[in-house]
Amino acid sequence: MTADRAGAARAAAEAVGAGVTTGLSAFPLTPLRDDRVDEHAYAGIVERLARAGIDSIGALGSTGSYAYLDGAERRRVAELTVRHAGGTPVIVGISALRTSHARALAHDAQAAGAAAVMLAPMSYQPLTADDVVGLYTDVATELSVPMVVYDNPGTTRFDFTPELYARLTELPAVASIKIPPPPPAAEAARDHIARLREAVPARVGLGVSGDPSAAAALLGGCDCWYSVLAGTLPGPALQIARSALAGDSGEAFAASDRLALLWDLFVRHGSLRVVAAVAELLGLAPGHCLPRPLLGLRGRDRAEVETVLTALSLVK
Amino acid sequence: MTADRAGAARAAAEAVGAGVTTGLSAFPLTPLRDDRVDEHAYAGIVERLARAGIDSIGALGSTGSYAYLDGAERRRVAELTVRHAGGTPVIVGISALRTSHARALAHDAQAAGAAAVMLAPMSYQPLTADDVVGLYTDVATELSVPMVVYDNPGTTRFDFTPELYARLTELPAVASIKIPPPPPAAEAARDHIARLREAVPARVGLGVSGDPSAAAALLGGCDCWYSVLAGTLPGPALQIARSALAGDSGEAFAASDRLALLWDLFVRHGSLRVVAAVAELLGLAPGHCLPRPLLGLRGRDRAEVETVLTALSLVK
């Protein structure tokens, strides 16, 4: 390949990567029934997301319980997602505690048709920055699709630094970083994102996680929202995302503020347990759909989720 | 079975449990070579421990990298441990993120001949106390051998409370709790352990982890030391354990204080990376024996381990 053609190929790959990792990415649950993936329910969830018009599907994220599933289950879920996504690009989570397992998952995800993969530095023994650079470098050798660096300290217990972002984005495969929630106030979010932007090349996108901060983050310079909410309630998430990405801060913040009761539940119980209860209440998932030992919300907590859904007119 | 006979059976089971989970329990590394368990090196490590005269072997603990191995590897390591332990009781780690996986590992460990199992509340999504009670209750239904509750917040990121200890020790299977390091000073350790003793039945043992605190903990009321050090350097660990369990505080603290340089390395690098370097330097494990992404100590850090081993006359 000549230098020009290699450059063109790289530019094309980057453009594809940017397309996959911009806009609203919806993270579906992977519901279990009697300790097995409920494939029928999962297919229904994916089809519903595709119909809603989100920009990508983030399968097997933390919300998709990837950490609890074995390799065969994850391969099957990746295949089901692509099959039922109706052409919507699918980003598949390939994280594992051991590098060789993540490499195998990268292979499976690509074979299933993933448009991109996402990799978190899942940890048991605390990881050093050098361990993490080694992990991403080793896994990148498997990839012919873009990679999202998945920074989620609440579950991985690893804290990235801007310096580490800079080291990792030297890898051509890295197309986007899924960052933890910036401060929810508009100006603080913009300043925070501007500082991160200085650490990474312009070709690399920044996507926000932490749904309550999404409006501020999209208005403040993020180009993607990796959204738990959108995986189960795509409609309200699209209202926030479309307004924010169009620069309409008034409508974006209003749409986010309308969900304040839901954000409060996310803070108190963690977003996963809340959206699992929502999916069960809406009939999208069977009862007790989380992998044990995770118990779903019960009793008063579950009743409160139902009350909030009713108050927000989110129950059909 | 009559009430008397049931009582006798329970007493016998408790006596067996107490025997397995008292004294010095050595936690070996599970060395990898080219991303596969080095079975020859592992067998050698286990045989060396049995010859040294430790009281039990804690296979597939955090030091044994259980979290990084798949189910087949863990089954094989459990079998190898029992085979090469020469009759020394083997406690096998069965922790997993998903309850059903831990149950399967409990089955495999018992089939391999484990004298006891140990279970940590490994987490990805943060766990509630109710989740953890459910986990231990579900796994206990698989067991015909005693269980050690493995409290290791540095890796599981779950914090037990004395109230939770009390709930879990209502399960008859629970024979011992592996507690995090108490304060290293003698009186503070004794007070800490006395408070924990009030929370749990007398039949349940308390075993200390955190090697630098072991002397104080054994003198202060713990009946077991679940030891990283002993898995690689059983001799110095036996000196501490035998003195402390005989009530000789002067010699126990002196034996522990002689290892101050090593304890300092444990604090700075984590005990796993240090004992992996020690095992490699002593020829017990191949180079780069930790599962990637964990990188072993290199360069100056590794040279320092070698210097400390020489200073302590621990190199052959």
Side-chain angles (χ1 to χ4, degrees):
Chain A
M1 202 163 7
T2 66
D4 273 0
R5 292 183 80 184
R10 194 163 56 240
E14 287 166 6
V16 169
V20 171
T21 58
T22 57
L24 179 61
S25 186
F27 278 51
L29 293 159
T30 309
L32 301 192
R33 183 192 296 267
D34 298 333
D35 202 53
R36 296 167 65 104
V37 173
D38 186 332
E39 299 192 356
H40 180 75
Y42 183 71
I45 288 171
V46 171
E47 288 171 1
R48 181 168 170 269
L49 295 180
R51 280 197 306 274
I54 44 83
D55 299 302
S56 66
I57 294 175
L60 295 167
S62 296
T63 304
S65 292
Y66 78 82
Y68 302 88
L69 305 181
D70 66 29
E73 289 170 328
R74 292 174 70 168
R75 186 167 57 238
R76 177 77 179 147
V77 169
E79 290 165 357
L80 281 172
T81 316
V82 172
R83 184 180 310 160
H84 292 274
T88 302
V90 176
I91 313 175
V92 174
I94 57 166
S95 311
L97 287 169
R98 182 158 153 197
T99 299
S100 56
H101 295 176
R103 292 177 68 157
L105 291 161
H107 175 87
D108 290 350
Q110 293 175 106
V117 295
M118 49 193 175
L119 178 64
M122 201 180 168
S123 74
Y124 181 74
Q125 296 286 344
L127 298 175
T128 67
D130 284 347
D131 293 339
V132 171
V133 169
L135 169 68
Y136 281 88
T137 304
D138 288 347
V139 173
T141 63
E142 300 289 333
L143 295 177
S144 56
V145 299
M147 173 157 62
V148 178
V149 172
Y150 195 128
D151 175 0
N152 190 9
T155 52
T156 63
R157 285 75 176 205
F158 180 81
D159 291 307
F160 284 85
T161 60
E163 293 69 36
L164 183 55
Y165 283 169
R167 289 176 70 186
L168 294 176
T169 51
E170 289 175 15
L171 295 168
V174 173
S176 176
I177 304 173
K178 177 178 180 296
I179 65 169
E187 198 168 341
R190 191 164 49 238
D191 291 349
H192 178 81
I193 295 161
R195 276 194 300 275
L196 297 183
R197 276 253 58 105
E198 287 172 15
V200 305
R203 68 170 186 83
V204 174
L206 293 177
V208 64
S209 59
D211 292 347
S213 293
L218 291 173
L219 288 160
C222 280
D223 53 8
C224 188
W225 174 15
Y226 297 109
S227 175
V228 174
L229 178 75
T232 300
L233 293 169
L238 277 164
Q239 287 180 3
I240 297 169
R242 294 288 176 255
S243 313
L245 289 168
D248 184 345
S249 65
E251 178 48 28
F253 280 117
S256 181
D257 290 347
R258 280 197 291 274
L259 303 179
L261 291 170
L262 203 55
W263 302 152
D264 179 58
L265 291 173
F266 277 25
V267 169
R268 281 192 284 138
H269 301 296
S271 57
L272 175 64
R273 294 182 205 246
V274 176
V275 294
V278 169
E280 293 174 15
L281 288 164
L282 295 181
L284 303 171
H288 308 290
C289 75
L290 293 176
R292 287 183 77 94
L294 302 179
L295 299 174
L297 299 181
R298 294 174 296 181
R300 202 165 54 184
D301 293 332
R302 192 179 177 87
E304 195 178 359
V305 173
E306 193 158 14
T307 302
V308 168
L309 283 183
T310 306
L312 299 177
S313 305
L314 293 170
V315 190
K316 286 175 198 166
Chain B
M1 201 162 9
T2 66
D4 273 0
R5 292 183 77 184
R10 195 164 54 239
E14 287 167 6
V16 170
V20 172
T21 58
T22 55
L24 178 62
S25 187
F27 279 50
L29 292 159
T30 310
L32 301 192
R33 183 192 295 267
D34 297 334
D35 201 51
R36 298 167 65 104
V37 174
D38 185 332
E39 299 192 356
H40 179 74
Y42 183 71
I45 288 171
V46 170
E47 289 171 0
R48 181 169 170 268
L49 294 180
R51 279 197 307 273
I54 45 83
D55 299 304
S56 66
I57 294 174
L60 296 167
S62 296
T63 305
S65 293
Y66 78 81
Y68 302 87
L69 304 181
D70 66 28
E73 289 169 327
R74 292 174 69 169
R75 187 166 58 239
R76 177 76 180 147
V77 169
E79 291 165 356
L80 282 173
T81 316
V82 172
R83 183 179 310 161
H84 291 275
T88 302
V90 176
I91 313 174
V92 175
I94 59 167
S95 311
L97 287 169
R98 184 158 153 198
T99 299
S100 56
H101 295 176
R103 291 177 70 155
L105 290 162
H107 175 86
D108 291 347
Q110 292 175 108
V117 296
M118 50 192 174
L119 178 63
M122 203 181 166
S123 74
Y124 181 75
Q125 295 286 342
L127 298 175
T128 68
D130 284 348
D131 293 339
V132 170
V133 170
L135 169 67
Y136 281 88
T137 305
D138 289 347
V139 173
T141 64
E142 300 291 332
L143 295 179
S144 55
V145 298
M147 172 158 62
V148 179
V149 172
Y150 196 128
D151 176 0
N152 190 8
T155 52
T156 64
R157 284 78 177 206
F158 179 79
D159 290 306
F160 284 85
T161 60
E163 294 68 35
L164 183 55
Y165 283 170
R167 289 176 71 186
L168 294 177
T169 51
E170 289 175 14
L171 296 167
V174 173
S176 176
I177 303 173
K178 178 178 180 295
I179 65 170
E187 198 169 339
R190 192 165 49 238
D191 291 350
H192 178 81
I193 294 161
R195 277 195 299 276
L196 296 182
R197 276 253 58 104
E198 287 172 16
V200 305
R203 69 169 185 83
V204 174
L206 293 178
V208 63
S209 60
D211 291 346
S213 293
L218 291 173
L219 288 160
C222 280
D223 54 8
C224 188
W225 174 15
Y226 297 109
S227 174
V228 174
L229 178 73
T232 300
L233 293 169
L238 276 164
Q239 288 181 0
I240 298 169
R242 293 290 175 252
S243 315
L245 289 168
D248 183 345
S249 65
E251 177 47 31
F253 279 118
S256 182
D257 289 347
R258 280 196 290 275
L259 303 179
L261 290 170
L262 203 54
W263 303 151
D264 178 59
L265 291 173
F266 277 25
V267 169
R268 282 191 282 139
H269 300 296
S271 57
L272 175 64
R273 294 183 205 246
V274 176
V275 293
V278 170
E280 293 173 14
L281 288 165
L282 294 181
L284 302 171
H288 308 290
C289 75
L290 294 175
R292 289 184 76 96
L294 301 179
L295 299 174
L297 299 181
R298 295 174 294 181
R300 203 165 53 184
D301 294 331
R302 193 179 178 88
E304 195 177 1
V305 173
E306 194 159 12
T307 302
V308 168
L309 282 182
T310 305
L312 298 177
S313 305
L314 293 170
V315 189
K316 287 174 198 167

